[in-house]
């Protein structure tokens, strides 16, 4: 690209108060045919952009002036023992963002931040958000008439950015000279100093991250552990971490990778970890191969490529987007079926207050022999599997990393026993992540602590990646610390709401604006009630049923009108969009919107006037919809009931008060709707508690079903109306049909019990085949079927093909979420779209934007998934606490038979664990049928077993013990 300065115009001659220059910038790019394309644009340069320093008399004052830097910056450095501001370059921010986060009086150049954005959006957003609260000044050097620099012909972006950085250094040095404030450039790049010599700028003050941090005073002592100590130069990295006995294959350069993908030699996709030595990559498109080579059933795993061995995984970690090469067919393989026993000894034991950390540790360097033995065990199992299984899976190897997904991870330190060693092993809580080597001189302060670590690099000579410490969460094992770790690990925003957000909230005590009573439909005379779980305070839905005559019912679903309070483009709306969902943990909830709204003002409490968005139907006695209306209204709930209280009214034959009559009318219609929905093919899935006789336990099934049916109906009605009005802007909830590979565990279990399940004829056939199964297996089969489902996703109708709108689980052509705006941002968007469609709100182009809705859906999908994972992890912690000091006996089901273990599901606690086979045990493993035999006793998927549960407090680990059937060497005796 070539850039030239064509002309410059001074606008002050036309009456502008401040000097403004217009510069014509001409760039040349190649078009698709390779020919040069001339692009001309105007760039406005200003002289009224202030430096951001308090007390500056040289900068013009205007309403846009911002001051973030101290007038007299404190001196914290022993080497740079004078007043100074910091000027980091691109590489420093990318490598040392955790160090930058602790520093003040930092000037962030626009040219630097734009390059950070191009290279790492996550770190850019982190720094950008920091400018709102910290002493960081974002300086628009590319718009200031004294700091803008043209890019020279044939000059790279990096070369131009270095010139711009030095130029800004000189500008600020002169600007602050009268106040005796200097500048220090922070750069880890050794080439930067060479460039300074070429530019004859030897007087520029430059420091690496390590030089600057190590020169800081005692109050910054802990900051050195946050340094990324991986050398900047690749050769130095190899030398520093070269142990001489292990080396990964080098990755291809990005150009070779992209060319290989274009030609079909390589494929790309996300890496998914099976264990440290096995994984898979799901590629984006089918691999073309001659039809005669395809074998029966081969299409099941067509896009799932198996990776085995450290050499073939080649430093890929969970979630990375990788480039792979498919190996020749004679090297295809099958998964080992081995369950790796992770070094769980590091997991601290749980007590009432905290966990006491086991001091028995191993030297990470000395454990390489153990790692080699682990890999050999995996590969030996693979050889056995390859002999017994004819159909192999496509197998490949990683040739390059397209995009890393390294995020901060939580865990504990395993100290090196080498005296004086600065290298220690970090053991992450997330078993899908590799162990990480970190370098620290202050390892004592990490004893017994749960810490957060960031991976920096993975050299080819290191079996494990290299990282650095970020922060201490607290004493490992306390409920509070473990909860913080869960929130951090899953990226759940949980900081207190900002003052800007609080400023958007209505004041308490709150009264509805009298004007709303005249604008909205009045539902206050209707018998409206809410039915929710016990202890629910964020009530966002209520219902009513009124019989108009012997044949016609009026039914209403009334939803809290959160969109009235959360207006678009406010700080409250931005925070709600960022959080996207309320997160429910075992002992707390992380609200999407502040409690003032979620539990007080918007929540549909009993005996209070509330603003609602309502769907009202007229139905006949067969629950056929005759008419559908949507209203902005006002209601006053007559009762706020729990499911148990509602069920009690439904069960009563004598209750004939108006609330009970309304509930019984709702239940009558709901049962008809439910039967019709299942007749149309909706799936009856289960994640519920299974009793000893194999049935799902639910004492309030009727009241649950009543609420569920009308929430589903409201969502379908709103989805259809919004889509009919806005074909391009509707936010929908879709559930993709599961691919055949997803049903492999279900089919294997069915085969073991000689039963047939239809998985390839649609949801209705699947549901009917599940209904035909023996009662003792029906419920657990539904649990396993639920696990085979794909993830339901939010999407925008304008960016999704119409044939992908379908919701497989509900057998619905169109579906959305409308009924929970207090806890789901997707519902809030749907409320806004519905209001515009009804013309009660003016059209807003930022709301009616397919790309913005699509981006919102992408964020909501991620947040929703992480919220589910965090909730499960939180409940697992509390389940461990419940087992403290107990030895319980429960029904269990074998979910999977592995080569060296049984994977057991205990419905009582919805908990899974492994029963490992003794290494000297004699048994027959049939991988094809998923069965293992110990003499005359065989174990198959979905077999019932009796399990003993207890807590091994020293390791904070729930221990699964097989009690029945009795197998010598494998089962234990029941506790007396």
């Amino acid at each position: 690209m070539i850039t030239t300065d064509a002309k410059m115009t001074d606008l002050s001659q036309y009456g502008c108060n401040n000097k403004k220059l217009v510069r014509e910038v001409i760039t040349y790019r190649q078009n698709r045919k390779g020919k040069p394309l001339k692009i001309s644009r105007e760039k406005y340069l200003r002289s009224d952009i202030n430096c951001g320093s308090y007390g500056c008399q040289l900068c013009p004052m205007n309403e846009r002036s911002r001051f973030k830097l101290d007038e007299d910056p404190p001196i914290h450095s022993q080497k740079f023992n004078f007043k100074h501001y910091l000027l980091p370059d691109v590489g420093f921010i990318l490598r040392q963002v955790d160090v930058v986060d602790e520093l003040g009086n930092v000037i962030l150049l626009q040219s630097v931040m734009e390059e950070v954005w191009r290279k790492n959006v996550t770190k850019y957003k982190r720094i950008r958000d920091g400018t709102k609260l910290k002493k960081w000044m974002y300086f628009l050097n590319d718009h200031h008439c004294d700091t803008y620099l043209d890019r020279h012909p044939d000059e790279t972006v990096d070369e131009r950015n270095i010139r711009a950085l030095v130029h800004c250094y000189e500008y600020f040095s002169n600007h602050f000279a009268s106040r005796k404030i200097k500048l220090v450039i922070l750069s880890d790049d050794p080439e930067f100093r060479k460039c300074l010599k070429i530019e004859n700028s030897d007087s520029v003050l430059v420091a690496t991250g390590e030089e600057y941090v190590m020169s800081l005073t005692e109050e910054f002592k802990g900051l050195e552990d946050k340094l990324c100590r991986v050398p900047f130069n690749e050769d130095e990295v190899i030398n520093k971490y070269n142990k001489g006995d292990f080396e990964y294959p080098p990755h291809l350069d990005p150009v070779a990778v992209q060319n290989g993908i274009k030609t079909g030699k390589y494929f790309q996709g996300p890496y998914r970890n099976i264990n440290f030595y096995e994984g898979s990559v799901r590629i984006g498109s089918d691999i073309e191969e001659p039809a005669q080579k395809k074998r029966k059933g081969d299409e099941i795993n067509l896009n799932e490529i198996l990776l085995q061995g450290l050499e073939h995984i080649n430093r890929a970690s969970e979630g990375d987007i990788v480039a792979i090469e498919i190996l020749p067919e004679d090297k295809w393989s099958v998964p080992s079926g081995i369950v790796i026993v992770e070094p769980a000894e590091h997991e601290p034991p749980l007590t009432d207050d905290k966990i006491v950390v086991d001091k028995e540790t191993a030297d990470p360097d000395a454990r390489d022999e153990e790692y080699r033995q682990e890999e050999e065990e995996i590969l030996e199992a693979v050889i056995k599997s390859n002999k017994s299984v004819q159909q192999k899976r496509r197998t490949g190897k990683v040739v390059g990393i397209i995009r890393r997904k390294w995020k901060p991870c939580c865990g504990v330190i395993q100290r090196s026993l080498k005296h004086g060693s600065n290298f220690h092993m970090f053991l992450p809580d997330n078993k899908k992540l590799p162990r990480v080597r970190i370098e620290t001189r202050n390892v004592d302060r990490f004893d017994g602590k749960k810490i957060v670590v960031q991976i920096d690099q993975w050299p080819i000579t290191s079996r494990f990646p290299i990282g650095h410490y970020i922060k201490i969460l607290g004493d490992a094992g306390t409920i509070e610390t473990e909860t913080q770790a869960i929130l951090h690990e899953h990226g759940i925003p949980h900081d207190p709401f900002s003052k800007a957000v609080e400023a958007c909230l209505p004041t308490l005590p709150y009264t509805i604006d009298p004007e709303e009573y005249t604008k909205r439909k009045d539902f206050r005379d209707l018998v409206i009630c809410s039915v929710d779980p016990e202890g629910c305070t964020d009530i966002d839905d209520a219902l009513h049923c009124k019989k108009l005559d012997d044949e016609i019912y009026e039914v209403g679903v009334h939803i809290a009108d959160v969109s009235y309070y959360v207006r678009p483009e406010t700080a409250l709306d931005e925070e709600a969009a960022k959080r996207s969902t309320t997160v429910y943990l075992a002992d707390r909830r992380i609200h999407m919107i502040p409690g003032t709204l979620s539990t007080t003002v918007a929540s549909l409490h009993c005996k209070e006037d509330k603003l609602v968005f309502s769907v009202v139907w007229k139905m006949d006695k067969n629950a056929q919809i005759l008419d559908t209306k949507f209203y902005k209204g006002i209601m006053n709930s007559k009762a706020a009931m729990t499911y148990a209280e509602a069920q009690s009214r439904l069960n009563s034959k004598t209750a004939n008060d108006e609330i009970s009559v309304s509930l019984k009318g709702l239940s009558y219609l709901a049962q008809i709707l439910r039967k019709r929905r299942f007749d149309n093919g909706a799936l009856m899935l289960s994640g519920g508690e299974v009793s000893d006789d194999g049935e799902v336990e639910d004492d309030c099934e009727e009241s649950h079903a009543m609420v569920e049916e009308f929430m589903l109906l409201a969502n379908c009605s709103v989805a259809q109306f919004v889509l009919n009005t806005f074909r391009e802007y509707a936010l929908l909830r879709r559930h993709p049909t599961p691919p055949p590979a997803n049903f492999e565990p279900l089919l294997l279990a069915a085969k073991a019990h000689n039963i047939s399940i239809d998985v390839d004829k649609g949801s209705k056939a699947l549901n009917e085949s599940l209904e035909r199964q023996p009662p003792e297996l029906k419920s657990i089969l539904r649990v396993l079927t639920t696990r085979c489902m794909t993830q339901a996703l939010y999407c925008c109708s304008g960016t999704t093909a119409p044939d992908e709108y379908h919701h497989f689980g509900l057998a619905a052509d169109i579906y959305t979420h409308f009924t929970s705006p207090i806890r789901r941002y997707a519902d809030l968007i749907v409320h806004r779209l519905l209001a515009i469609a009804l013309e009660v709100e003016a059209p807003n182009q930022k709301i009616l934007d397919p790309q913005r809705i699509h981006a919102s859906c992408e964020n909501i999908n991620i947040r929703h998934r992480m919220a589910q994972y965090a909730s499960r992890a939180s409940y697992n912690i509390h389940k461990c606490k419940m087992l403290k000091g107990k030895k319980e006996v429960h029904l269990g089901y074998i979910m999977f038979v592995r080569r060296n273990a049984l994977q057991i599901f205990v419905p009582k606690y919805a908990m899974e664990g492994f029963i490992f086979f003794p290494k000297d045990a004699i048994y027959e493993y049939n991988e094809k049928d998923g069965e293992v035999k110990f003499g005359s006793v065989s174990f198959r998927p979905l077999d019932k077993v009796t399990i003993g549960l207890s807590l091994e407090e020293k390791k904070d680990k729930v221990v699964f013990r097989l009690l029945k059937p009795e197998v010598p060497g494998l089962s234990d005796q029941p506790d007396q």
Side-chain angles (χ1 to χ4, degrees):
M1 181 170 63
I2 302 174
T3 306
T4 60
D5 180 7
K7 67 176 182 178
M8 187 182 295
T9 305
D10 186 352
L11 295 185
S12 61
Q13 59 183 307
Y14 300 109
C16 294
N17 295 328
N18 297 299
K19 181 181 179 182
K20 296 182 182 179
L21 302 175
V22 181
R23 179 169 298 202
E24 183 184 12
V25 180
I26 299 175
T27 58
Y28 293 89
R29 301 178 185 272
Q30 284 188 341
N31 61 17
R32 293 183 178 179
K33 296 182 179 180
K35 295 182 180 180
L37 178 66
K38 179 180 177 181
I39 301 174
S40 177
R41 60 186 177 87
E42 290 182 336
K43 192 172 189 70
Y44 291 83
L45 303 180
R46 306 176 63 92
S47 62
D48 60 344
I49 298 175
N50 72 311
C51 66
S53 175
Y54 283 101
C56 182
Q57 302 298 318
L58 302 178
C59 290
M61 295 290 294
N62 55 53
E63 68 279 0
R64 295 163 58 187
S65 298
R66 293 187 306 148
F67 299 98
K68 305 298 290 289
L69 308 176
D70 287 331
E71 182 175 359
D72 289 303
I75 300 171
H76 298 297
S77 172
Q78 297 171 353
K79 180 177 180 179
F80 303 98
N81 54 352
F82 44 78
K83 294 189 294 184
H84 62 272
Y85 297 138
L86 300 173
L87 203 61
D89 70 357
V90 175
F92 189 88
I93 292 177
L94 292 174
R95 282 169 51 84
Q96 309 288 6
V97 65
D98 295 305
V99 172
V100 175
D101 207 37
E102 300 293 326
L103 300 175
N105 292 304
V106 178
I107 299 175
L108 302 165
L109 299 182
Q110 175 191 0
S111 56
V112 168
M113 290 300 294
E114 287 178 352
E115 190 63 18
V116 170
W117 177 80
R118 280 189 282 269
K119 293 184 176 181
N120 192 310
V121 175
T122 302
K123 291 183 179 179
Y124 168 81
K125 290 180 178 179
R126 178 177 171 182
I127 296 295
R128 180 199 63 189
D129 293 342
T131 59
K132 301 174 184 178
L133 303 173
K134 301 178 185 291
K135 295 179 180 180
W136 296 348
M137 178 62 191
Y138 188 99
F139 183 74
L140 299 172
N141 62 302
D142 279 348
H143 288 279
H144 196 292
C145 59
D146 293 329
T147 56
Y148 174 76
L149 288 181
D150 284 315
R151 184 172 161 191
H152 293 165
D154 302 323
E155 185 179 40
T156 66
V157 173
D158 289 339
E159 290 169 345
R160 187 264 177 185
N161 284 343
I162 289 175
R163 281 199 309 114
L165 183 66
V166 175
H167 184 64
C168 289
Y169 176 92
E170 294 170 349
Y171 166 77
F172 283 121
S173 295
N174 294 328
H175 191 78
F176 298 130
S178 61
R179 297 166 57 195
K180 297 182 180 180
I181 299 176
K182 297 184 179 182
L183 273 293
V184 176
I185 293 178
L186 299 177
S187 176
D188 283 344
D189 188 356
E191 295 297 320
F192 181 75
R193 296 176 190 260
K194 295 179 182 178
C195 292
L196 293 180
K197 293 182 179 179
I198 295 173
E199 297 286 335
N200 296 318
S201 302
D202 292 339
S203 61
V204 174
L205 297 174
V206 184
T208 65
E210 188 165 0
E211 288 172 347
Y212 190 79
V213 169
M214 298 306 288
S215 75
L216 294 176
T217 53
E218 190 69 19
E219 62 183 292
F220 290 90
K221 182 179 179 181
L223 191 56
E224 63 183 83
D225 286 323
K226 297 189 177 185
L227 281 167
C228 170
R229 296 179 182 272
V230 178
F232 201 90
N233 183 282
E234 182 67 27
D235 293 335
E236 293 180 17
V237 172
I238 293 174
N239 291 334
K240 181 173 181 178
Y241 300 105
N242 186 7
K243 294 166 58 180
D245 59 347
F246 182 85
E247 187 170 319
Y248 287 100
H251 291 146
L252 298 179
D253 65 80
V255 175
V257 167
Q258 292 303 323
N259 288 338
I261 291 173
K262 288 179 181 178
T263 61
K265 182 179 180 181
Y266 306 135
F267 301 88
Q268 74 176 59
Y271 174 75
R272 293 291 177 258
N273 173 286
I274 298 174
N275 55 58
F276 186 57
Y277 307 100
E278 292 181 287
S280 65
V281 174
R282 175 161 289 186
I283 61 177
S285 59
D286 292 351
I287 304 169
E288 294 294 335
E289 66 173 46
Q292 64 269 22
K293 277 195 171 185
K294 292 188 178 180
R295 296 170 299 235
K296 184 179 179 181
D298 210 28
E299 69 278 4
I300 290 179
N301 287 317
L302 191 62
N303 292 358
E304 199 79 24
I305 311 302
L306 180 66
L307 307 178
Q308 289 181 320
L310 295 184
E311 180 179 344
H312 287 168
I313 294 175
N314 198 7
R315 294 169 284 161
S317 56
E318 179 72 16
D320 288 349
I321 306 300
V322 301
I324 62 169
E325 180 179 9
I326 308 297
L327 297 176
E329 189 171 346
D330 61 352
K331 294 185 178 179
W332 290 0
S333 184
V334 294
S336 68
I338 290 282
V339 179
I340 294 292
V341 184
E342 295 287 346
E345 288 76 15
H346 74 276
E347 296 182 359
L350 183 66
T351 65
D352 285 334
D353 300 317
K354 65 177 185 178
I355 286 175
V356 181
V357 174
D358 187 358
K359 295 289 184 180
E360 296 179 6
T361 55
D363 176 17
D365 294 337
R367 295 193 65 194
D368 274 2
E369 181 60 31
E370 178 184 333
Y371 304 141
R372 277 191 289 269
Q373 290 176 1
E374 279 184 352
E375 185 174 15
E376 288 173 3
E377 182 182 356
I378 290 287
L379 298 179
E380 285 176 7
V382 168
I383 293 172
K384 293 179 182 178
S385 297
N386 284 331
K387 289 179 180 179
S388 62
V389 177
Q390 292 182 350
Q391 182 180 331
K392 309 291 174 56
R393 285 180 54 176
R394 287 175 173 79
T395 306
K397 64 179 181 180
V398 172
V399 296
I401 306 293
I402 296 173
R403 185 166 65 252
R404 287 289 191 188
K405 291 286 187 177
W406 286 337
K407 296 180 180 179
C409 48
C410 305
V412 295
I413 289 290
Q414 186 182 59
R415 298 183 60 159
S416 171
L417 294 183
K418 282 185 179 180
H419 181 69
S421 175
N422 292 333
F423 289 93
H424 307 273
M425 191 69 81
F426 169 79
L427 302 163
D429 292 340
N430 185 349
K431 301 303 185 293
K432 290 189 175 183
L433 298 177
R435 289 154 252 182
V436 183
R437 297 184 190 275
I438 70 167
E439 184 177 354
T440 176
R441 298 180 181 131
N442 303 308
V443 70
D444 288 345
R445 71 191 187 106
F446 299 140
D447 279 349
K449 303 294 183 181
K450 180 80 72 173
I451 69 170
V452 182
V453 162
Q454 173 66 56
I455 299 176
D456 296 318
Q457 197 167 344
W458 200 335
I460 62 173
T461 54
S462 175
R463 190 179 294 268
F464 299 104
I466 312 302
H468 69 271
Y469 148 86
I470 296 178
K471 65 179 178 181
I472 295 174
L473 294 178
D475 292 335
T478 62
I479 293 296
E480 183 59 34
T481 297
E482 297 302 321
T483 300
Q484 290 300 313
I486 288 171
L487 296 173
H488 200 286
E489 191 77 43
H490 296 92
I492 307 296
H494 58 283
D495 291 333
F497 290 101
S498 67
K499 291 182 179 179
V501 171
E502 298 285 354
C504 299
L505 301 176
T507 56
L508 297 179
Y510 176 74
T511 55
I512 296 174
D513 186 343
E515 186 178 347
E516 293 300 317
Y517 287 90
T518 62
K519 292 163 54 176
R520 293 172 175 261
K521 186 171 181 63
D522 194 342
F523 293 110
R524 289 176 294 169
D525 60 331
L526 296 177
V527 182
I528 299 176
C529 57
S530 61
V531 183
D532 292 281
E534 187 172 358
C536 180
T537 57
D538 49 351
I539 304 171
D540 46 19
D541 59 81
L543 307 98
H544 87 268
C545 178
K546 182 172 70 171
K547 205 167 185 180
L548 301 180
D549 56 42
D550 290 341
E551 299 289 331
I552 307 299
Y553 292 84
E554 179 187 272
V555 179
V557 168
H558 309 275
I559 308 300
D561 189 5
V562 180
S563 62
Y564 174 81
Y565 305 102
V566 184
R567 306 306 298 172
E569 300 176 63
T570 61
L572 176 58
D573 182 52
E574 290 178 4
E575 185 65 24
K578 175 183 173 183
R579 299 188 178 212
S580 293
T581 182
T582 293
V583 183
Y584 293 90
L585 304 181
D587 60 346
R588 72 195 71 180
R589 64 185 66 171
I590 313 297
H591 289 289
M592 182 184 78
I593 55 178
T596 301
L597 275 182
S598 61
T599 63
T600 304
V601 174
S603 184
L604 305 183
H605 294 306
C606 182
K607 310 298 183 184
E608 296 180 18
D609 288 359
K610 295 291 180 177
L611 303 182
V612 290
F613 215 153
S614 303
V615 186
V616 180
W617 302 277
K618 285 185 180 179
M619 294 181 176
D620 64 18
K621 62 181 180 180
N622 296 318
Q624 295 291 343
I625 298 175
L626 306 176
D627 185 40
T628 305
K629 298 290 185 184
F630 305 94
Y631 301 100
K632 287 256 187 174
I634 295 180
M635 59 156 273
N636 191 299
S637 174
K638 302 300 184 287
M641 294 173 285
T642 65
Y643 284 111
E645 290 169 344
Q647 189 64 49
S648 176
R649 287 176 179 268
L650 292 173
N651 292 340
S652 174
K653 296 181 179 180
T654 59
N656 57 4
D657 59 280
E658 57 183 7
I659 294 175
S660 298
V661 170
S662 178
L663 286 176
K664 290 178 180 180
L666 288 167
S667 181
Y668 164 75
L669 294 170
Q671 290 176 43
I672 299 174
L673 290 171
R674 188 175 183 81
K675 182 179 183 305
R676 184 184 303 151
R677 188 163 59 85
F678 288 125
D679 288 344
N680 291 335
L683 283 175
M684 185 183 294
L685 301 176
S686 174
E689 197 171 285
V690 181
S691 65
D692 290 344
D693 59 3
E695 294 299 319
V696 175
E697 296 180 349
D698 186 355
D699 294 333
C700 303
E701 183 176 359
E702 186 181 352
S703 59
H704 275 118
M706 176 190 70
V707 175
E708 179 186 17
E709 289 306 316
F710 284 107
M711 296 305 113
L712 292 174
L713 186 61
N715 288 334
C716 288
S717 297
V718 170
Q720 192 64 63
F721 183 81
V722 172
L723 185 64
N724 289 342
T725 308
F726 300 124
R727 301 300 301 182
E728 299 293 315
Y729 314 129
L731 187 151
L732 303 176
R733 178 79 166 165
R734 68 186 186 94
H735 183 202
T737 301
N742 283 31
F743 290 107
E744 284 183 338
L746 179 64
L747 294 174
L748 190 63
K751 180 181 177 182
H753 291 269
N754 297 315
I755 57 179
S756 175
I757 298 179
D758 298 323
V759 300
D760 55 357
K761 298 178 183 178
S763 58
K764 184 175 183 179
L766 174 59
N767 205 45
E768 290 174 348
S769 64
L770 290 172
E771 277 297 305
R772 292 194 299 267
Q773 304 314 319
E776 67 273 11
L777 287 178
K778 189 182 298 184
S779 294
I780 193 63
L781 278 170
R782 291 196 184 281
V783 172
L784 188 54
T785 303
T786 303
R787 297 184 178 199
C788 297
M789 294 296 105
T790 52
Q791 186 85 27
L793 301 167
Y794 295 101
C795 68
C796 175
S797 61
T799 59
T800 307
D803 59 357
E804 295 180 4
Y805 295 169
H806 183 73
H807 196 291
F808 178 79
L810 297 175
D813 293 330
I814 300 295
Y815 189 67
T816 192
H817 273 163
F818 163 79
T819 54
S820 296
I822 287 178
R823 59 185 179 90
R824 292 190 303 232
Y825 191 73
D827 302 55
L828 189 55
I829 295 176
V830 172
H831 276 230
R832 290 169 179 168
L833 291 170
L834 180 60
I836 296 173
L838 294 171
E839 299 182 354
V840 296
E841 294 279 353
N844 185 327
Q845 292 306 311
K846 291 188 177 181
I847 295 176
L848 302 178
D849 181 346
Q851 294 305 321
R852 287 174 70 99
I853 294 175
H854 174 75
S856 294
C857 289
E858 291 292 302
N859 180 62
I860 294 169
N861 287 332
I862 294 172
R863 293 295 185 194
H864 180 70
R865 186 163 58 251
M866 292 299 104
Q868 288 180 317
Y869 294 161
S871 180
R872 291 174 195 166
S874 175
Y875 277 94
N876 283 339
I877 289 175
H878 285 262
K879 289 170 190 173
C880 289
K881 189 174 180 67
M882 289 169 58
L883 288 170
K884 182 180 181 296
K886 298 179 182 179
K887 292 184 178 180
E888 299 184 357
V889 177
H890 293 285
L891 165 73
Y893 288 89
I894 298 175
M895 302 304 285
F896 301 100
V897 177
R898 308 299 188 186
R899 182 174 290 277
N900 65 333
L902 300 176
Q903 187 170 338
I904 308 295
F905 173 67
V906 177
K908 179 68 177 179
Y909 291 116
M911 181 185 293
E912 284 193 37
F914 292 98
I915 295 176
F916 289 94
F917 307 153
K919 289 194 174 182
D920 57 354
I922 299 175
Y923 58 90
E924 297 177 21
Y925 175 63
N926 184 336
E927 184 167 13
K928 183 178 179 181
D929 296 330
E931 182 180 10
V932 65
K933 287 186 177 181
F934 286 80
S936 61
V937 181
S938 64
F939 295 97
R940 305 167 300 168
L942 301 191
D943 279 353
K944 285 185 181 181
V945 290
T946 303
I947 297 298
L949 293 181
S950 59
L951 183 69
E952 188 176 350
E953 294 187 30
K954 184 179 179 182
K955 300 176 182 177
D956 182 28
K957 186 177 180 181
V958 176
V959 177
F960 282 61
R961 295 175 296 123
L962 179 65
L963 302 181
K964 292 182 180 180
E966 297 181 6
V967 177
L970 182 63
S971 60
D972 290 348
Q973 292 298 318
D975 297 305
Q976 299 300 321

